[in-house]
């Protein structure tokens, strides 16, 4: 009975959103007809308790004859963007808000004149079979539905004044100008600051030109330097060595912080979207944005400070206390893990049947979602199970079941503390050369946002913002090259996070790298021996691709092998 009521509600939502016009197919020849079917699900709350039955009338999109002419890509939020948003909310003590937008795909942009789709209506609509629905908008199951929905949501959010970040197209930030007495000021002093002042983007408007005049008044003389399609203003002193000037311009173009929309502004709110879920945080003035969303879209549910977002429970713990933090866990999804049913006595080397292979891939997909979001302790074991997914054996299935039991037995969550000061990005890469059972090499990394160093304090607080463990797919001939490859991947991720953190928080973070590979540090500092040519070349390429505008922004340190 509950599912029957849910079906009637779905039919009503199609009508309320003006999705279609009725078509009598006895008198009109239909060129593009698509059938549909019901998809029934049970929705549960944050504690895993029954909440309601849900019904969706989903069209069979593969029957769409115009499928090859559609734009179907639609971005979704990234894991680093979500985690950095949680860190900003924790540091500022902002409230967490989640809004679920009801029947999202039925609220997307309308079709153009070239799009012609007639679909089957469900029996619950109460109409004869020869009556179809000519769609005015997209609907569930069609390939262009996510894109048309995202187009509308993106346009509305940008219309509210929100600016998408450069590295995460589904993370939007609301800025306001800083105090005029400090905004845009460049304070001369150290040689390093003057070095940065010597490179400025060419002024795009009158305000930027005015700021440039103030620099010239301070004693700087600028000339134009063309680098491809980019034009830079370079201090005339650099033209004494044009190669150095060109190198400095290249560094600025590659620098992930340069060009951030957060420059000269302060952040007052952030929204991360994943299809129809909006996860938001901000100060008191940001509540106006939430009210605009309520006005322009149909809101299904709304939660505050204890919310669910893409299968994760995000909540404040002791919000008003100094030690308060934001906790992110997936307890409900972990409880849903079901092991593969295996017959006892089967040899580990025996391949799984087709049915068991399907169960293997299903459980692997569930664990992938968990390990990529919060269950960092399962990364390595999952990577090994995933490597065997093409032709798994009973031994592989037993290892996967063991991993599922391990995840259920351990209470693992991500915590975001009230970090203060100018935060640092600290990367910890590691690698193992040919240590896997199949003699392949493995690399891994963890990256933290941490408070700045303080006198007489050994361990400042930090929050985990990125991690992974993957098989090295290229040929590596030594432990040193394996460690260097892991180092390069980790440093590239740190630079990505550095640019994203600048957009989300307004802070310019330093990158600090830690490695226990003493041979890697030694090789980088010693004479280039002939047998080290490949390693030295990779180090040089690492410096060229990931160099920072300031030597202080990237620090390499050796740590004890037991760390």
């Amino acid at each position: 009975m509950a599912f029957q009521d849910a079906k009637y509600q779905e039919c009503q939502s199609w009508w309320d959103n003006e999705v279609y016009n009725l078509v009598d197919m006895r008198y009109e020849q239909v060129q593009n007809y698509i059938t549909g079917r019901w998809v029934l699900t049970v929705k549960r709350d944050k504690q895993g308790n029954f909440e309601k039955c849900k019904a969706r009338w989903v069209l069979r999109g593969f029957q769409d004859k115009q499928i090859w002419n559609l734009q179907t890509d639609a971005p979704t939020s990234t894991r680093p963007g979500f985690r950095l948003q949680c860190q900003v909310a924790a540091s500022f003590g902002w409230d967490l808000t989640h809004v679920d937008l009801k029947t999202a795909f039925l609220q997307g942009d309308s079709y153009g004149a070239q799009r012609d789709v007639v679909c089957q209506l469900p029996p619950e609509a109460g109409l004869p079979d020869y009556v179809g629905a000519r769609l005015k908008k997209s609907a569930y199951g069609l390939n262009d539905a996510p894109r048309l929905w995202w187009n509308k949501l993106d346009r509305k959010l940008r219309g509210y004044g929100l600016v998408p970040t450069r590295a995460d197209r589904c993370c939007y930030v609301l800025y306001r100008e800083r105090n005029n007495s400090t905004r845009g000021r460049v304070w001369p002093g150290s040689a390093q600051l003057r070095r940065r002042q010597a490179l400025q983007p060419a002024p795009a408007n009158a305000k930027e030109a005015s700021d440039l005049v103030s620099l010239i008044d301070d004693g700087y003389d600028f000339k134009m330097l063309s680098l491809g399609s980019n034009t830079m203003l370079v201090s005339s002193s650099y033209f004494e060595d044009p190669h150095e000037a060109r190198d400095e311009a290249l560094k600025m173009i590659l620098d992930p912080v340069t060009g951030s929309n957060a420059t000269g502004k302060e952040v007052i709110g952030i929204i991360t979207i994943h299809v129809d879920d909006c996860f938001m945080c901000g100060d008191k003035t940001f509540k106006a944005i939430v009210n605009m969303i309520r006005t322009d879209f149909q809101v299904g549910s709304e939660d505050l400070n204890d919310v669910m977002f893409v299968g994760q429970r995000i909540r404040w713990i002791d919000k008003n206390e100094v030690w308060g933090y934001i906790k992110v866990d997936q307890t409900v999804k972990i409880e849903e893990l079901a092991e593969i049913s295996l017959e006892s006595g089967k040899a580990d080397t025996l391949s799984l049947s087709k049915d068991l292979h399907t169960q293997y891939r299903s459980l692997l997909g569930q664990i992938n979602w968990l390990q990529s979001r919060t269950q960092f302790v399962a990364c390595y074991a999952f990577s090994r199970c995933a490597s065997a997914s093409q032709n798994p054996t009973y031994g592989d299935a037993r290892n996967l079941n063991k991993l599922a039991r391990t995840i259920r037995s351990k209470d693992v969550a991500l915590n975001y503390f009230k970090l203060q000061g100018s935060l640092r990005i600290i990367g910890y890469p590691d690698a193992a050369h040919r240590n896997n059972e199949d003699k392949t090499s493995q690399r891994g990394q963890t990256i933290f946002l941490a408070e700045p160093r303080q006198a007489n304090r050994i361990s400042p607080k930090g929050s985990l913002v990125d991690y992974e463990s993957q098989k090295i797919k290229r040929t590596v001939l030594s432990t040193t090259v394996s460690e260097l490859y892991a180092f390069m991947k980790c440093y590239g991720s740190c630079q990505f996070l550095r640019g994203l953190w600048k957009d989300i928080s307004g802070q310019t973070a330093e990158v600090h790298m830690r490695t226990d590979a003493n041979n890697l540090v030694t090789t980088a500092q010693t004479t280039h021996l002939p047998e080290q040519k490949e390693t030295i070349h990779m180090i040089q390429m690492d410096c060229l691709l990931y160099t920072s505008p300031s030597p202080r922004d990237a620090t390499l340190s050796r740590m004890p092998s037991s760390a």
Side-chain angles (χ1 to χ4, degrees):
M1 188 65 182
F3 278 119
Q4 194 65 26
D5 293 339
K7 291 179 180 180
Y8 287 127
Q9 292 176 11
E10 175 72 357
C11 294
Q12 186 63 40
S13 67
W14 276 55
W15 183 258
D16 293 341
N17 285 283
E18 301 179 353
V19 176
Y20 61 91
N21 291 323
L22 294 177
V23 175
D24 191 336
M25 293 185 290
R26 295 176 299 176
Y27 306 105
E28 183 173 345
Q29 186 176 3
V30 177
Q31 302 294 331
N32 190 16
Y33 182 72
I34 301 176
T35 60
R37 68 183 183 93
W38 285 112
V39 175
L40 309 177
T41 56
V42 174
K43 193 170 183 180
R44 301 184 182 277
D45 60 16
K46 293 184 286 289
Q47 288 78 28
N49 301 318
F50 172 81
E51 187 174 349
K52 66 177 181 179
C53 292
K54 193 173 182 179
R56 281 276 182 263
W57 180 248
V58 180
L59 304 182
R60 294 181 171 92
F62 62 88
Q63 299 175 348
D64 190 353
K65 295 179 180 179
Q66 297 178 327
I67 190 172
W68 305 112
N69 302 322
L70 305 176
Q71 183 179 4
T72 60
D73 59 300
T76 55
S77 60
T78 64
R79 295 184 293 272
F82 163 76
R83 292 170 186 151
L84 294 182
Q85 179 185 7
C86 288
Q87 184 54 66
V88 173
S91 295
F92 285 104
W94 286 343
D95 285 332
L96 307 175
T97 304
H98 172 261
V99 172
D100 176 35
L101 302 179
K102 191 176 180 182
T103 58
F105 287 176
L106 304 183
Q107 300 186 59
D109 281 343
S110 299
Y111 279 148
Q114 289 76 23
R115 189 77 166 112
D116 184 22
V117 180
V118 176
C119 74
Q120 175 191 8
L121 287 171
E124 287 75 11
L127 296 172
D129 294 340
Y130 56 79
V131 175
R134 173 165 278 118
L135 297 182
K136 298 189 290 184
K137 303 177 180 179
S138 193
Y140 292 96
L142 296 182
N143 290 41
D144 58 348
R147 179 70 190 194
L148 292 174
W149 160 247
W150 182 82
N151 284 344
K152 182 174 181 179
L153 182 58
D154 174 69
R155 186 171 60 252
K156 287 289 186 181
L157 293 178
R158 288 187 288 112
Y160 302 156
L162 292 156
V163 180
T165 62
R166 297 166 297 166
D168 186 345
R169 194 56 181 79
C170 287
C171 183
Y172 299 79
V173 184
L174 186 64
Y175 302 106
R176 77 172 156 222
E177 299 290 345
R178 292 187 184 275
N179 189 296
N180 290 332
S181 62
T182 59
R183 185 175 64 86
R185 290 290 298 276
V186 179
W187 301 96
S190 66
Q192 180 180 345
L193 283 176
R194 292 181 181 274
R195 189 179 184 86
R196 288 189 176 185
Q197 292 163 357
L199 283 165
Q200 298 290 331
N205 50 47
K207 178 64 183 68
E208 292 184 9
S210 175
D211 291 341
L212 177 61
V213 170
S214 66
L215 282 174
I216 295 175
D217 289 342
D218 287 338
Y220 292 97
D221 181 20
F222 290 89
K223 293 184 180 180
M224 305 298 293
L225 172 66
S226 177
L227 188 65
S229 60
N230 299 281
T231 302
M232 311 293 292
L233 289 169
V234 183
S235 172
S236 59
S237 62
Y238 274 88
F239 281 85
E240 299 173 2
D241 186 350
H243 295 291
E244 184 180 0
R246 194 169 294 270
D247 288 345
E248 289 297 320
L250 181 61
K251 288 179 182 180
M252 175 161 280
I253 292 173
L254 295 176
D255 178 32
V257 169
T258 303
S260 172
N261 294 310
T263 303
K265 301 180 177 67
E266 61 178 319
V267 176
I268 60 176
I270 307 169
I271 293 181
T272 295
I273 61 173
H274 189 94
V275 190
D276 59 351
D277 285 340
C278 295
F279 176 59
M280 301 174 281
C281 61
D283 62 11
K284 294 181 179 180
T285 60
F286 189 71
K287 293 181 179 179
I289 301 296
V290 182
N291 293 331
M292 292 180 187
I293 293 176
R294 294 193 192 104
T295 302
D296 291 337
F297 298 98
Q298 299 178 30
V299 175
S301 61
E302 185 174 340
D303 299 296
L304 183 68
N305 288 335
D306 188 354
V307 307
M308 289 292 294
F309 180 68
V310 291
Q312 303 166 107
R313 185 180 182 185
I314 309 117
R315 48 184 165 150
W316 265 107
I317 305 295
D318 296 329
K319 179 177 181 290
N320 297 322
E321 303 294 340
V322 176
W323 57 82
Y325 61 94
I326 293 175
K327 181 177 181 179
V328 181
D329 65 65
Q330 293 178 288
T331 303
V332 175
K333 295 298 180 182
I334 291 174
E335 292 174 353
E336 295 176 359
L337 287 178
E339 296 180 31
I340 305 170
S341 300
L342 298 174
E343 297 180 34
S344 59
K346 295 289 185 179
D348 286 346
T349 56
L350 183 64
S351 296
L352 297 179
S353 64
K354 185 176 180 180
D355 179 60
L356 291 177
H357 191 181
T358 300
Q359 293 184 46
Y360 184 95
R361 294 173 66 89
S362 176
L363 180 57
L364 191 70
Q366 294 180 60
I367 294 177
N368 183 28
W369 181 260
L370 297 171
Q371 67 89 23
S372 64
R373 292 283 171 177
T374 60
Q375 303 302 300
F376 51 87
V377 295
C379 282
Y380 175 73
F382 168 81
S383 175
R384 302 310 307 142
C385 291
S387 297
S389 61
Q390 187 171 359
N391 186 26
T393 63
Y394 272 83
D396 296 324
R398 292 186 179 103
N399 290 335
L400 190 60
N401 283 343
K402 181 180 179 181
L403 177 57
R405 291 193 297 271
T406 300
I407 293 175
R408 286 201 302 263
S409 64
K410 293 184 178 180
D411 184 16
V412 178
L414 296 182
N415 298 327
Y416 299 92
F417 304 97
K418 296 182 178 180
L419 306 182
Q420 302 298 322
S422 183
L423 304 187
R424 302 173 292 150
I425 297 175
I426 306 180
Y428 294 87
D430 200 5
H433 180 60
R434 303 191 66 183
N435 276 18
N436 292 329
E437 293 179 359
D438 55 358
K439 298 304 180 182
T440 58
S441 301
Q442 192 84 7
R443 70 170 183 87
Q445 66 185 43
T446 56
I447 302 177
F448 294 83
L449 269 176
E451 290 182 338
R453 291 191 180 97
Q454 299 179 22
N456 301 322
R457 185 175 180 181
I458 299 176
S459 302
K461 290 190 298 183
S463 300
L464 182 63
V465 294
D466 191 53
Y467 58 88
E468 66 178 8
S469 177
Q470 293 185 0
K471 182 174 71 174
I472 298 178
K473 297 180 181 180
R474 63 169 292 172
T475 303
V476 286
L477 303 179
S478 66
T479 300
T480 301
V481 177
S482 300
E483 292 281 3
L484 180 56
Y485 185 76
F487 187 95
M488 293 174 63
K489 289 291 186 181
C490 183
Y491 190 56
S493 298
C494 288
Q495 290 295 335
F496 166 82
L497 292 170
R498 186 168 175 259
L500 186 56
W501 178 246
K502 174 65 176 181
D503 289 352
I504 289 180
S505 69
Q507 286 190 349
T508 301
E510 296 181 355
V511 174
H512 292 194
M513 300 293 296
R514 303 286 186 266
T515 179
D516 62 352
N518 184 61
N519 55 346
L520 174 61
V521 180
T522 303
T523 301
Q525 297 173 344
T526 55
T527 305
H528 298 184
L529 300 178
E531 61 269 18
Q532 297 173 333
K533 286 189 294 185
E534 180 192 13
T535 306
I536 296 301
H537 174 69
M538 292 177 66
I539 293 175
Q540 292 172 342
M541 291 301 297
D542 191 22
C543 295
L544 175 62
L545 293 175
Y546 299 119
T547 186
S548 299
S550 164
R552 215 164 46 90
D553 290 337
T555 304
L556 170 64
S557 298
R558 180 189 296 124
M559 66 181 183
S561 58
S562 60

